[in-house]
Amino acid sequence: MSVTHPQGFLAAGVAAGLKSSGAKDVALVVNSGPRFDAAHVFTANRCQANPVLWSKEVAKDGVVRAVVLNSGGANCYTGPEGFQTTHATAERVAGHLGIGAGDVVVCSTGLIGLLNDRDVLLAGVDAVVGALAPAGGDDAAHAIMTTDTVAKQVVVEGDGWSIGAMAKGAGMLAPALATMLVVITTDAVVPAADLDKALRAATRVSFDRLDSDGCMSTNDTVSLLASGASGIAPSLEEFTALLADACQDLALQLLADAEGADHSIAITTVNAAHEDEAVEVSRSVARSNLFKAAIFGKDPNWGRILASVGTTQAAFDPADLDVALNGVWVCRGSAPAEDPSAISLEDRDVTVTIDLKAGSASATVWTNDLTLAYVHENSAYSS
Amino acid sequence: MSVTHPQGFLAAGVAAGLKSSGAKDVALVVNSGPRFDAAHVFTANRCQANPVLWSKEVAKDGVVRAVVLNSGGANCYTGPEGFQTTHATAERVAGHLGIGAGDVVVCSTGLIGLLNDRDVLLAGVDAVVGALAPAGGDDAAHAIMTTDTVAKQVVVEGDGWSIGAMAKGAGMLAPALATMLVVITTDAVVPAADLDKALRAATRVSFDRLDSDGCMSTNDTVSLLASGASGIAPSLEEFTALLADACQDLALQLLADAEGADHSIAITTVNAAHEDEAVEVSRSVARSNLFKAAIFGKDPNWGRILASVGTTQAAFDPADLDVALNGVWVCRGSAPAEDPSAISLEDRDVTVTIDLKAGSASATVWTNDLTLAYVHENSAYSS
């Protein structure tokens, strides 16, 4: 269900033949109204895929009526030919639905530098329009998967309105948007300007703090569409809170399905001078291959945590840091404390806590361990 | 030979029992003079090991007479007890040699958070002093190895003077000093202030551009000792050039022996607006796990190069980037160009060239691929 759970949305997912596996690879989500408010967040990467270049323009006026997505090719660094493919995709959707191409967001995911066959893609668009259904969200969620092993979907309920969302993403997950495509729908009445505020607030504490492998994608897109079909206008605070819940739920689903990962690691920095510094410290640990390999090996090697903390500019006294692994304070005052051998790293979920003793701000960044399977999977992706 | 190749130096390496393998683990390099000029570079990590805290003070006056080094424990985050061990080590060396402890640099390498047995270490100091010899450089180079599979040494000859050097380092190699200990000796007559200038210039274009795994160490030390025993005073330019040669040679030896690596990758950014931006762009690619895993898989997945370039703030037009892999220009004007399937990635050495078309500066950063063996080795380091 997910994106078709809120009233006023149709969706579908079909197999167009872009994926050699024959799995579903073209998805469409259509807002039937009565309102067409929208807000978007795109990758911060300066090297952006053609669909991102297109969709940023489409998103500017806060009105979007459909999102078409394909897996099986990122359409990034494919030159003018690739941009024309994106444009033609939006035009084809618009033609079928009787709307303007300028109201159609396009998302693509897959290999960079690969030019998809335009005819195959457009035939997929024809098929997915024909398959649109009030319960098509699940098919759509499956059609955007790449190396994902499960579809990611979530529904949260407001008072007479709801939010539904789907996401894909398993590698290239970092920072300022994990590599991913996300479509979020709601039947609440929320003007585009408020949607934008709510979306930025929600992504800042969810997707932006997911840093699975430190690699920022060229295609990240989060598309939030509001149909207003419930007729109910929640307060901005209420809407933002539920939206953040939905985004965080999806972020943790992405974390749980990250390529080859054995562990989901929550790195929380506490008592920082500023929230930004807490994020910086947590992210530095999330980026340490040595730390991440140790967690894969179930090795409570906390020295690698401190070595990462020391690369940051955050306020702290290097001689007075405390570090806990799964709640065991293995380091106090920058010296060995509780016995690390008491720590079990058998479970998937691992927590790291770093106490900077420099203020009262805190933040969590989520990452995965660095595993043999991650290297194996990513050493043979395009071939 | 290496550090004992220039006149005026003694060295030794012995097995003290810090390493469970029974391999050599304590090394000593002594400058016999007549001059005792020295210059040092230390890790930029704010979390610094006890020997670094000690040695930074020792190095301040530009006079150093001996460097004592141990493997089998980094003596980092070991608290006041660990600092006392460092202090006692310097005192013991000084007592034997009849010099001041304030002229003895101490270096340690191995696991962070592990407190070495002080008595074992000090007995090793006694033994290594007894073993000092004019040809002891090779033993010293072996005694500082950790996960290194070969000792790293180099000799470069000036006109009547020379430089000898040894290095260790195989993991935690990055940035602003690859994780490593390096001792460089010369019998040239070079005042400490000039040594400092030369060393900073040489490390800037060698060790500072080695970024094997993105992890900055807590213990990095480069110690440059000048005995003046040749009686020859080369120009600063001449000395700096040969010193840079020696440092670059060692850096490439470190690269060639990096933990688990199958490939040594030179990432060169050309036509950048500034050298700093060329370094930033090359380093961003060196930090991409996805790119590094692809090279391990011999997969010419150039999209991952562009995805990394796009995370930087360097001047370039995202729509007009050229990228070559092993000299094959797979991307021109940000679109696919030559056929990537023509590229062989069988050899250890791989080159990446990124043309930013934004100026005339260039820089190379060296890295390794991300391999199954790297993950395996680093997931079981402390246990």
Side-chain angles (χ1 to χ4, degrees):
Chain A
M1 294 287 288
S2 63
V3 293
T4 45
H5 180 83
Q7 300 173 61
F9 293 93
L10 300 172
V14 300
L18 299 171
K19 284 179 177 164
S20 55
S21 66
K24 290 190 177 73
D25 48 19
V26 175
L28 180 62
V29 180
V30 177
N31 182 353
S32 312
R35 296 179 62 102
F36 305 99
D37 302 281
H40 288 76
V41 181
F42 297 99
T43 180
N45 199 311
R46 289 171 61 201
C47 291
Q48 299 181 335
N50 284 310
V52 171
L53 297 175
W54 167 267
S55 298
K56 286 173 89 166
E57 294 303 312
V58 167
K60 275 183 180 166
D61 66 357
V63 175
V64 168
R65 299 179 63 127
V67 181
V68 59
L69 315 91
N70 77 275
S71 51
N75 198 356
C76 182
Y77 284 104
T78 45
E81 181 77 12
F83 190 81
Q84 286 164 26
T85 296
T86 292
H87 186 190
T89 304
E91 288 281 0
R92 185 68 70 107
V93 170
H96 280 299
L97 300 178
I99 60 177
D103 290 340
V104 180
V105 160
V106 181
C107 302
S108 300
T109 179
L111 194 65
I112 298 174
L114 175 74
L115 201 58
N116 279 130
D117 185 304
R118 193 180 301 163
D119 291 338
V120 171
L121 178 53
L122 294 182
V125 169
D126 297 341
V128 81
V129 170
L132 280 170
D138 196 57
D139 283 345
H142 281 84
I144 59 175
M145 291 166 61
T146 53
T147 54
D148 308 68
T149 64
V150 293
K152 286 92 175 173
Q153 304 181 69
V154 67
V155 169
V156 295
E157 297 284 353
D159 189 7
W161 58 278
S162 66
I163 293 173
M166 65 179 186
K168 69 77 50 181
M172 245 197 205
L173 282 171
L177 293 196
T179 289
M180 51 179 204
L181 304 180
V182 179
V183 180
I184 309 168
T185 57
T186 182
D187 49 13
V189 177
V190 190
D194 282 351
L195 283 181
D196 186 69
K197 283 182 206 157
L199 184 59
R200 284 173 199 286
T203 56
R204 195 178 73 84
V205 295
S206 55
F207 303 122
D208 277 356
R209 297 202 178 157
L210 181 62
D211 199 325
S212 175
D213 66 1
C215 293
M216 191 198 295
S217 161
T218 52
N219 288 57
D220 294 328
T221 302
V222 180
S223 185
L224 169 58
L225 312 179
S227 70
S230 72
I232 295 170
S235 73
L236 180 57
E237 292 66 30
E238 184 186 356
F239 182 74
T240 301
L242 260 69
L243 183 64
D245 285 350
C247 290
Q248 197 154 118
D249 187 287
L250 283 179
L252 294 178
Q253 289 186 53
L254 292 168
L255 188 73
D257 192 35
E259 287 173 352
D262 281 358
H263 291 90
S264 297
I265 310 169
I267 303 164
T268 302
T269 299
V270 301
N271 297 323
H274 303 286
E275 186 182 3
D276 285 353
E277 296 190 355
V279 172
E280 181 194 4
V281 167
S282 291
R283 195 181 295 284
S284 77
V285 179
R287 292 281 176 87
S288 166
N289 278 351
L290 289 174
F291 164 71
K292 288 151 71 92
I295 296 300
F296 165 59
K298 301 174 185 171
D299 175 1
N301 192 328
W302 55 269
R304 293 176 177 176
I305 298 171
L306 285 171
S308 297
V309 172
T311 65
T312 71
Q313 297 307 311
F316 62 81
D317 175 1
D320 192 16
L321 291 167
D322 293 359
V323 175
L325 251 172
N326 279 357
V328 178
W329 290 92
V330 289
C331 177
R332 292 269 195 198
S334 294
E338 294 182 54
D339 183 1
S341 69
I343 300 167
S344 167
L345 295 170
E346 294 296 325
D347 291 345
R348 181 171 179 104
D349 289 319
V350 172
T351 65
V352 172
T353 314
I354 301 150
D355 188 343
L356 297 184
K357 309 180 190 179
S360 57
S362 66
T364 299
V365 171
W366 293 277
T367 191
N368 295 106
D369 51 349
L370 177 60
T371 68
L372 296 173
Y374 175 89
V375 175
H376 181 73
E377 185 160 346
N378 284 298
S379 63
Y381 182 67
S382 76
S383 49
Chain B
M1 293 287 288
S2 63
V3 293
T4 45
H5 179 84
Q7 299 174 62
F9 292 94
L10 301 172
V14 300
L18 299 172
K19 283 178 178 165
S20 55
S21 66
K24 291 189 176 73
D25 49 19
V26 175
L28 181 62
V29 179
V30 177
N31 183 353
S32 311
R35 298 177 60 102
F36 304 100
D37 303 282
H40 288 75
V41 182
F42 297 98
T43 180
N45 199 311
R46 290 171 62 201
C47 292
Q48 299 181 334
N50 284 309
V52 171
L53 297 175
W54 168 266
S55 298
K56 285 173 90 166
E57 294 303 312
V58 166
K60 276 184 180 164
D61 67 357
V63 175
V64 168
R65 299 178 63 127
V67 181
V68 59
L69 315 91
N70 76 276
S71 51
N75 198 357
C76 182
Y77 284 105
T78 45
E81 181 77 11
F83 190 82
Q84 286 163 26
T85 296
T86 291
H87 186 190
T89 304
E91 289 280 1
R92 184 69 68 106
V93 170
H96 281 298
L97 299 178
I99 60 178
D103 290 338
V104 179
V105 160
V106 181
C107 302
S108 300
T109 179
L111 194 67
I112 299 173
L114 175 74
L115 201 59
N116 279 130
D117 185 304
R118 193 180 301 163
D119 292 338
V120 171
L121 178 54
L122 293 180
V125 170
D126 297 343
V128 81
V129 169
L132 280 170
D138 196 57
D139 283 345
H142 281 84
I144 59 175
M145 291 167 60
T146 53
T147 54
D148 308 68
T149 65
V150 292
K152 285 91 176 172
Q153 304 182 69
V154 67
V155 169
V156 295
E157 296 284 353
D159 188 9
W161 57 279
S162 66
I163 293 172
M166 65 179 187
K168 70 75 51 181
M172 246 197 205
L173 281 172
L177 292 196
T179 289
M180 51 180 202
L181 304 179
V182 179
V183 180
I184 310 168
T185 57
T186 181
D187 49 12
V189 177
V190 189
D194 283 351
L195 283 181
D196 187 69
K197 284 181 204 155
L199 185 59
R200 284 173 199 286
T203 55
R204 195 178 73 84
V205 296
S206 56
F207 302 122
D208 277 357
R209 298 203 178 157
L210 182 62
D211 199 325
S212 175
D213 65 0
C215 293
M216 192 198 294
S217 161
T218 51
N219 288 56
D220 295 327
T221 302
V222 180
S223 184
L224 169 59
L225 312 179
S227 71
S230 72
I232 296 170
S235 73
L236 181 57
E237 292 68 29
E238 184 186 355
F239 181 75
T240 302
L242 260 70
L243 183 64
D245 285 350
C247 289
Q248 197 153 117
D249 187 288
L250 284 179
L252 294 179
Q253 289 186 53
L254 293 168
L255 188 72
D257 193 35
E259 284 171 355
D262 281 359
H263 291 90
S264 297
I265 310 169
I267 303 164
T268 303
T269 299
V270 301
N271 298 322
H274 303 287
E275 186 182 3
D276 285 354
E277 296 189 354
V279 172
E280 182 193 5
V281 167
S282 291
R283 196 181 296 283
S284 77
V285 178
R287 294 280 176 87
S288 166
N289 279 351
L290 289 175
F291 163 72
K292 290 151 69 91
I295 296 300
F296 166 59
K298 301 174 185 170
D299 174 2
N301 191 327
W302 55 269
R304 292 175 177 177
I305 297 171
L306 285 171
S308 296
V309 172
T311 65
T312 72
Q313 297 307 311
F316 63 80
D317 175 1
D320 191 17
L321 290 167
D322 294 358
V323 175
L325 251 173
N326 280 356
V328 178
W329 291 92
V330 289
C331 177
R332 292 269 196 197
S334 294
E338 294 183 53
D339 183 1
S341 69
I343 300 166
S344 167
L345 295 170
E346 294 296 325
D347 291 346
R348 181 171 179 105
D349 289 319
V350 173
T351 65
V352 172
T353 314
I354 301 149
D355 188 344
L356 297 184
K357 309 181 190 179
S360 57
S362 66
T364 299
V365 171
W366 293 277
T367 191
N368 295 105
D369 52 349
L370 178 60
T371 68
L372 296 173
Y374 175 89
V375 175
H376 180 75
E377 187 159 344
N378 284 298
S379 62
Y381 182 68
S382 76
S383 49

